[in-house]
């Protein structure tokens, strides 16, 4: 199961990926511009892989992204979209979100190429994305 949400739903997605309140069978999460007061406590409890999408003009979500990079122990890609908090429905984000789910849930190697290898991936060369950071990349 993959879970995704925007804003407070992104914070709830982080919580769900931590198995709170109980294990839910979620193997990957995709919080989009997450904000909530609950997710910091759940970052260290992540059981699911994560694509965390923040926006260049969203300080709140970027603080969560910095916390995730420091705390999450599962595979994490922190991708920063050039835009604002409300851009979760921006068509420029759609390709990356579909690719993440195809890679994580279907093992699609062409979709994985959107994120890996670092510095030479699809998003790395896309002007709509400004920053990609990684934690615990797959072998």
């Amino acid at each position: 199961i993959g879970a995704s949400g925007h804003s407070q739903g992104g914070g709830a997605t982080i919580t769900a990926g931590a198995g709170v309140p109980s294990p839910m069978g979620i193997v990957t999460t995709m919080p989009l511009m997450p904000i909530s007061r609950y997710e910091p406590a759940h970052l260290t409890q992540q059981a699911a892989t994560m694509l965390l999408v923040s926006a260049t003009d969203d300080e709140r979500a970027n603080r969560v992204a910095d916390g995730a990079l420091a705390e999450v122990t599962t595979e994490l890609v922190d991708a920063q979209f050039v835009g604002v908090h409300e851009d979760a429905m921006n068509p420029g984000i759609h390709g990356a979100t579909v690719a993440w789910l195809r890679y994580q849930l279907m093992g699609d190697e062409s979709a994985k190429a959107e994120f890996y290898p670092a510095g030479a991936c699809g998003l790395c060369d896309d002007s709509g994305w400004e920053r990609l950071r990684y934690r615990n990349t797959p072998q």
Side-chain angles (χ1 to χ4, degrees), residues 25-72:
I26 294 172
V27 298
T28 192
T29 63
M30 192 170 38
L32 306 169
M33 295 80 164
I35 58 168
S36 128
R37 66 177 191 248
Y38 302 109
E39 80 272 330
H42 298 143
L43 289 170
T44 59
Q45 301 170 353
Q46 286 301 293
T49 62
M50 182 188 301
L51 169 64
L52 193 151
V53 177
S54 58
T56 53
D57 295 326
D58 186 353
E59 291 180 24
R60 299 169 300 173
N62 282 306
R63 282 192 299 271
V64 175
D66 290 343
L69 195 66
E71 301 291 340
V72 170

